[in-house]
Every structure is written in structure tokens, then in C-alpha cells.
Amino acid sequence: FDGGLLGILRQRFSGIPHYLIEAKAEPGNFGKLQLSPTLQATFSNLNKAHKGHEPRFSGIFTDLDNQNIQVLYNQWMSEDGGRLYLKRNRGILVEVPEDYIEEIPENYIWLSMWQIKELLLENAWVNPHIRGIISNL
């Protein structure tokens, strides 16, 4: 019943925390795009059970013992209990140092918490996985 891994990457720019968010088109989204965590992957995707590619940024969230990563949140979270009986996902929030450099694809964006909160005021722009993880800050 374990669904997948939901991870948000945080990095400070000039001391201000920013969160790496993906604009993702998925079936069932209201509108076309929804803002999603840095990583949103099932365990079968992470294990490449279907011989696919490793999900982008998955190494950051599967190697939590890395000395450059500070784990801020790492808990099991329920998944829509009314629809998905007993299913859960692992929610993880990690911070990397300010000098951490990673190529960011064009469908990703760094957002401050203020920006995320402003986007939460819009209907269905921010998916519930982001809401669940940042609610622990």
C-alpha cells in the first residue's frame, strides 16, 4: 500500500529559502498544469520496475545520508484516505547548501514560501502533496 515518494528540494538564495517546484500536466488536473513537488514518483518508478528512466532528482531523496543534504522533514503521509484506502506516500523535504549547483529543467521553478502561499490563493494551482509537506514547516 506504499505509493511513492514526494520530495521537495530547498535551497537558500541570499539566505532566503526557495523550494524547487515542478509545473506538471497530469490526468485529472483542474486546468492543464499544477505545481507539484520536486519529485513525485511511485516506488516502481524509482526502482525502474518497468525499465524506464530514473526520475529526475530522485538521487537526492534516496541518498539521505549524503553529508551535503539536511533532512528537514521525512514522514509517511496518508494518500487521500477516502479514495485510496490505506495508501500512503513518503514525504521528504531536504535542504542543500547555497553553493549547490544542479541543472534545472524549464518546467521547474524556484519559489519562496511567500510565492507558494500567494499561489495557494488560486484555485487548484498547487497540488495537495506540496500542501502536505510544507504544512510541517
Side-chain angles (χ1 to χ4, degrees):
F1 290 101
D2 295 336
L5 198 144
L6 306 167
I8 298 178
L9 180 64
R10 181 167 98 174
Q11 185 173 7
R12 293 175 187 268
F13 297 97
S14 300
I16 300 169
H18 284 73
Y19 304 84
L20 187 59
I21 303 299
E22 181 181 12
K24 185 183 277 193
E26 291 185 294
N29 281 356
F30 179 81
K32 295 186 181 198
L33 296 176
Q34 199 170 53
L35 300 177
S36 302
T38 312
L39 174 67
Q40 183 174 314
T42 64
F43 287 111
S44 59
N45 286 344
L46 292 168
N47 296 325
K48 297 189 279 184
H50 310 293
K51 310 293 186 226
H53 296 284
E54 183 174 300
R56 188 176 301 276
F57 301 109
S58 61
I60 295 169
F61 297 98
T62 57
D63 182 19
L64 297 178
D65 293 329
N66 184 322
Q67 297 298 316
N68 291 325
I69 295 172
Q70 180 183 4
V71 178
L72 304 172
Y73 176 77
N74 184 3
Q75 294 288 321
W76 285 106
M77 301 168 33
S78 64
E79 171 73 46
D80 247 354
R83 290 186 313 122
L84 305 167
Y85 184 65
L86 296 179
K87 184 178 175 192
R88 63 186 188 162
N89 291 306
R90 192 73 181 180
I92 302 175
L93 174 64
V94 298
E95 184 168 333
V96 293
E98 280 198 52
D99 61 355
Y100 178 83
I101 297 173
E102 178 80 34
E103 185 178 329
I104 305 301
E106 66 180 31
N107 59 316
Y108 286 79
I109 187 170
W110 289 104
L111 296 173
S112 69
M113 184 59 71
W114 182 85
Q115 291 170 311
I116 293 171
K117 286 180 178 181
E118 287 296 305
L119 290 166
L120 283 167
L121 298 175
E122 299 295 330
N123 286 324
W125 281 17
V126 178
N127 88 0
H129 303 307
I130 290 177
R131 296 167 193 245
I133 294 170
I134 66 170
S135 68
N136 293 283
L137 293 176

